[in-house]
Amino acid sequence: MMINSVNTSFKKLLSPLKIGKKEVKNRIVSTAHAVGFDNGVLNERHLRYQERKAEGGAGLIMTFGSASVYKESSASYGSVSLWDPENEPYLRDLAERVHAHGTLIISQATHMGRRGTSIVDGHPVHAPSANPEGVHREVPHVMRAEEIPPIVEAFAESAARLERCGWDGIEITSFGGHLIEQFWSPKINNRTDRYGGDFEGRIRFSIEVIKAVKEAVSDEFIISFRMTGDPKTEVIGLNQDDMLEIAKRLDELGCIDLFNISGGTGATYSAQAAVVPGDTFERGTFNELAKRMKAELSVPVLVAGRILDPSQAEDALINEDCDLVGMTRAIIADPDMPKKVQNGKLLDIRPCIACNEGCIGRVYTGMSMICTVNASIADNSLENFKTAKDKRRIIVVGGGPSGMETARVAASRGHKVIILESSDSLGGKVKFASLASERPHYGSHIIWLERELERLNVEIHTNTKGTLESVVELQPDSVVIATGSNSVNPYEREIKNLLFENEINLLNGNVNLESYRKVLIHDREGKYRGGSIANHVTQNSALHVELASPLWSVCEDLDEMQKAEMYRLLAKGNVKLSPNKTLVNKDGKLFQKDIWTGVSRIVKEDEVVVLIGYEHGDNELYEELISNSPDLDVQLIGDTVSPRRLNDAIAEGVRIGSVL
């Protein structure tokens, strides 16, 4: 039986801290982020999402990433409208719910300036000057001097509204390239009036905002300020030294109770990727920035960015990198993480795999957030399952993530669960995908699931293929088919002169490429896999690599945050990118053809061909069972139904396990 162990007392992480005139019960913070659950006006789903984090024991909840203070601003990502009085009942309700758990609650507040879009509501984006942002690319309306004071007042009114509704504070933000940062930038701000020119002119707007907020609230109300410690780009004309100078100048005002430090900005794709850093960034990637700020500032400093587990958080506090630790994605993966730390149940903590697909990638593509490994964070019906009234004997065929989640949930409800896995270990394709160097944490959820299955006494048979006979022999009450998907090669029958290789063999090194010159990866899927395989080959061989796709671009469907880092890696590995290409079989030869020009080239015999997105669900056993045992309850889940994203497979496993 797996038991928990505690390597440290976490004295710093679990200790209280004064922020202004209030005290937070521990140093664990969920920082502000957009969720896309609403369109300006709050709803119960959003309230429950924030409340759930407080239930789990976080000391401070910061809400509503990019919440808009100004009606005429072109906010993005479905951000909450702090200017709208319709939100007041929801704000009061949420404050009461969070306070019931001894947690403080602060809302982020901003005007996004040029970092927005007019597509949604037709409002033009505003900025100090007519310089478009490199990501959104809209030419902004240049703010007239008389248009600035109403925005300053809007910040103050939003702060007053929050305090009136029982909130503990507000977080004014410049972070991510918002309007305040745009005024700071000597390259974005070309004004010649009192809001431009020298340092004092460019910082004037932010000072006016902070002072106005301070005057609008009581001394009990916390004022936090979020900013980048390093924009990670030269295009805005500000570096680490400049950001420190700005922070010190704002600190001198005596109005700010807390600084929240991260890195990156929204001015370029690469700098934007650093705003919510994925697994390609080092753990604790902004700790040094926060440490430098902390040494110069008079109030507590919070750091956010790539702090994934309690031990890492404790080390950051002990090393005096910061005073509070943003652990937002870790809390999304397991909102009970703070309580589990307090109770010494470290091994029970569901880990964040740092994939950025559900929590941030979906928001950047106009959808509401989810969590790849924790389906319940966006749908609270998928947790706290009732014990099953009728205990059943359940056979799960396939030990990938979908099958493992089904087994975990079903066993937690009291069923007897047996897993049949044809390979020598659990994890399915995820265990191979996690071999890619740019995703070192991708397989950590599988390790957690293995511990959970052991804790729940799930019977596991590896190297055991599920067949009609072997399943029926176990006398199940229910069978769940989670055998995943199989690769399909439409060319192999007629084309005999080429080596078509499986992506898994490339990842685990089970193929000898010494006699080949090149690897051609043809990716019709357009997500993460093709780029990951290409990057893996360049790191582990001297072969030329070409990543081709019939889509407009390679890795077409990756969100902006992931795509920027993927393209950086592919450029580093000198991977040739070939979009708008298709494969054609002609007289037993394989040709690569440009979709638009029609120009083609023959794929040579010294090229290894890897096909991505050529697969179908392995439902053969399902068909046999329903034909031969029509009275048996048989469920088909995960990629066995159709190949999809990891979050779909996991969520489906949870749902099936909850109703068996």
Side-chain angles (χ1 to χ4, degrees):
M1 187 74 176
M2 184 69 67
I3 61 173
N4 279 282
S5 62
V6 181
N7 298 321
T8 175
S9 62
F10 296 100
K11 289 182 179 179
K12 292 287 288 186
L13 189 62
L14 299 177
S15 65
L17 178 73
K18 290 282 287 186
I19 305 176
K21 294 190 176 182
K22 297 194 175 185
E23 184 175 86
V24 64
K25 65 182 179 180
N26 61 49
R27 312 298 183 92
I28 301 171
V29 182
S30 176
T31 57
H33 57 284
V35 296
F37 292 165
D38 33 47
N39 188 23
V41 177
L42 291 162
N43 56 35
E44 173 59 27
R45 183 186 182 194
H46 197 156
L47 268 59
R48 177 58 192 155
Y49 169 75
Q50 304 292 354
E51 180 188 18
R52 181 66 183 86
K53 297 179 183 181
E55 285 179 2
L60 173 60
I61 306 291
M62 292 174 152
T63 66
F64 312 154
S66 303
S68 175
V69 300
Y70 196 58
K71 185 175 182 178
E72 300 303 319
S73 68
S74 297
S76 296
Y77 317 120
S79 58
V80 172
S81 300
L82 290 181
W83 53 264
D84 193 339
E86 190 175 344
N87 274 316
E88 289 198 17
Y90 298 103
L91 292 171
R92 290 191 183 94
D93 188 9
L94 181 54
E96 290 175 2
R97 294 191 198 186
V98 170
H99 288 155
H101 300 283
T103 299
L104 300 185
I105 185 166
I106 289 175
S107 174
Q108 189 170 98
T110 194
H111 188 302
M112 295 181 73
R114 67 176 192 167
R115 187 164 174 72
T117 176
S118 62
I119 293 173
V120 177
D121 54 21
H123 291 151
V125 295
H126 290 63
S129 303
N131 299 307
E133 180 196 82
V135 175
H136 289 88
R137 304 185 301 281
E138 286 195 37
V139 177
H141 161 70
V142 179
M143 298 169 66
R144 298 187 302 274
E146 62 268 25
E147 292 178 305
I148 295 175
I151 295 174
V152 173
E153 183 59 27
F155 274 94
E157 290 173 356
S158 294
R161 171 171 286 117
L162 288 167
E163 185 169 34
R164 190 166 62 245
C165 292
W167 283 55
D168 298 296
I170 189 171
E171 180 176 74
I172 303 165
T173 185
S174 63
F175 182 59
H178 290 199
L179 184 60
I180 288 176
E181 185 181 286
Q182 293 162 33
F183 269 95
W184 290 344
S185 166
K187 291 189 176 181
I188 299 172
N189 182 352
N190 307 138
R191 303 176 73 93
T192 57
D193 63 6
R194 62 196 300 264
Y195 292 102
D198 62 10
F199 177 78
E200 286 301 318
R202 289 182 282 109
I203 203 172
R204 187 183 309 280
F205 173 63
S206 55
I207 290 175
E208 289 182 356
V209 167
I210 293 165
K211 285 183 174 180
V213 167
K214 183 65 174 177
E215 291 174 3
V217 298
S218 72
D219 289 342
E220 299 291 323
F221 194 71
I222 296 169
I223 299 177
S224 174
F225 194 91
R226 187 168 196 187
M227 62 184 294
T228 184
D230 182 356
K232 300 291 183 180
T233 178
E234 297 178 355
V235 302
I236 68 170
L238 297 170
N239 57 31
Q240 287 189 33
D241 293 338
D242 298 317
M243 302 317 297
L244 178 58
E245 183 182 4
I246 290 170
K248 289 166 66 176
R249 180 71 175 85
L250 299 182
D251 187 34
E252 290 171 359
L253 300 174
C255 301
I256 296 173
D257 301 301
L258 172 68
F259 278 89
N260 181 355
I261 305 301
S262 294
T265 186
T268 68
Y269 288 120
S270 60
Q272 178 182 258
V275 169
V276 188
D279 224 8
T280 55
F281 291 80
E282 294 181 1
R283 290 164 63 93
T285 189
F286 302 132
N287 285 22
E288 287 301 316
L289 296 177
K291 188 181 185 75
R292 188 181 183 199
M293 292 279 192
K294 176 175 164 56
E296 299 285 345
L297 302 178
S298 64
V299 297
V301 170
L302 161 66
V303 68
R306 298 286 291 143
I307 296 184
L308 304 180
D309 60 66
S311 295
Q312 185 189 1
E314 178 76 4
D315 287 343
L317 294 167
I318 291 173
N319 294 337
E320 297 190 349
D321 295 339
C322 56
D323 300 290
L324 295 114
V325 184
M327 302 188 72
T328 310
R329 284 172 286 178
I331 292 171
I332 291 171
D334 192 338
D336 292 323
M337 179 269 291
K339 281 188 175 179
K340 290 176 180 179
V341 174
Q342 190 170 11
N343 296 327
K345 297 183 177 180
L346 299 186
L347 296 180
D348 290 356
I349 297 171
R350 181 193 289 109
C352 169
I353 61 173
C355 66
N356 272 11
E357 291 178 1
C359 56
I360 187 66
R362 281 173 56 94
V363 174
Y364 269 69
T365 52
M367 296 181 285
S368 61
M369 67 151 286
I370 59 174
C371 177
T372 297
V373 299
N374 180 16
S376 70
I377 198 67
D379 181 357
N380 58 24
S381 69
L382 298 178
E383 67 174 347
N384 299 324
F385 305 109
K386 294 180 180 179
T387 301
K389 293 181 180 179
D390 300 317
K391 306 299 189 293
R392 312 182 77 188
R393 185 176 176 85
I394 298 171
I395 308 301
V396 178
V397 183
S402 188
M404 294 175 79
E405 279 287 4
T406 301
R408 178 185 71 85
V409 175
S412 71
R413 298 179 60 232
H415 294 305
K416 171 62 180 177
V417 183
I418 301 171
I419 294 179
L420 305 181
E421 167 56 42
S422 60
S423 73
D424 60 1
S425 60
L426 300 178
K429 291 181 179 177
V430 171
K431 68 184 176 184
F432 298 107
S434 64
L435 296 174
S437 62
E438 79 279 358
R439 278 187 159 181
H441 295 89
Y442 198 62
S444 57
H445 177 247
I446 297 299
I447 297 171
W448 176 79
L449 279 172
E450 288 178 320
R451 286 201 301 266
E452 285 292 286
L453 296 180
E454 182 179 351
R455 179 179 66 84
L456 294 165
N457 295 314
V458 172
E459 190 176 323
I460 300 171
H461 299 272
T462 55
N463 296 309
T464 304
K465 182 176 177 59
T467 63
L468 174 64
E469 294 76 17
S470 64
V471 170
V472 172
E473 185 180 350
L474 292 170
Q475 299 181 320
D477 297 306
S478 295
V479 179
V480 178
I481 307 298
T483 45
S485 60
N486 292 328
S487 298
V488 178
N489 186 341
Y491 307 105
E492 62 183 349
R493 288 187 178 180
E494 298 182 20
I495 297 175
K496 304 297 184 180
N497 66 321
L498 295 176
L499 173 63
F500 291 92
E501 193 50 76
N502 187 292
E503 62 183 281
I504 291 176
N505 288 334
L506 287 175
L507 285 167
N508 63 20
N510 287 344
V511 57
N512 187 350
L513 300 176
E514 291 182 1
S515 59
Y516 294 91
R517 175 184 61 86
K518 178 179 179 179
V519 174
L520 171 62
I521 301 168
H522 186 79
D523 177 16
R524 70 178 185 183
E525 183 179 72
K527 297 183 176 70
Y528 197 92
R529 283 194 299 169
S532 183
I533 297 297
N535 183 53
H536 182 80
V537 174
T538 64
Q539 290 186 332
N540 292 276
S541 76
L543 297 178
H544 296 289
V545 178
E546 180 179 359
L547 177 58
S549 174
L551 306 177
W552 293 112
S553 63
V554 301
C555 305
E556 171 84 6
D557 291 341
L558 281 186
D559 62 87
E560 292 173 356
M561 309 297 274
Q562 292 192 85
K563 188 177 287 188
E565 279 296 285
M566 178 58 74
Y567 272 48
R568 180 184 65 81
L569 292 172
L570 295 175
K572 183 179 179 181
N574 293 314
V575 175
K576 180 181 179 181
L577 307 183
S578 300
N580 301 299
K581 298 293 188 294
T582 188
L583 294 178
V584 178
N585 173 20
K586 184 178 181 181
D587 299 327
K589 302 291 184 180
L590 188 65
F591 289 81
Q592 183 189 66
K593 181 180 179 180
D594 187 280
I595 291 173
W596 303 109
T597 67
V599 174
S600 63
R601 73 168 185 90
I602 190 170
V603 179
K604 298 179 180 179
E605 294 184 5
D606 60 356
E607 298 180 56
V608 177
V609 181
V610 181
L611 302 176
I612 302 294
Y614 291 75
E615 53 201 339
H616 61 67
D618 180 10
N619 53 27
E620 181 180 347
L621 178 58
Y622 174 81
E623 298 295 340
E624 290 182 2
L625 283 169
I626 61 174
S627 296
N628 291 275
S629 302
D631 296 329
L632 183 61
D633 176 37
V634 184
Q635 303 283 343
L636 192 67
I637 68 169
D639 284 3
T640 316
V641 180
S642 66
R644 286 162 288 164
R645 293 180 184 270
L646 177 59
N647 63 268
D648 296 316
I650 290 174
E652 201 163 272
V654 174
R655 290 190 186 96
I656 294 297
S658 68
V659 298
L660 286 171

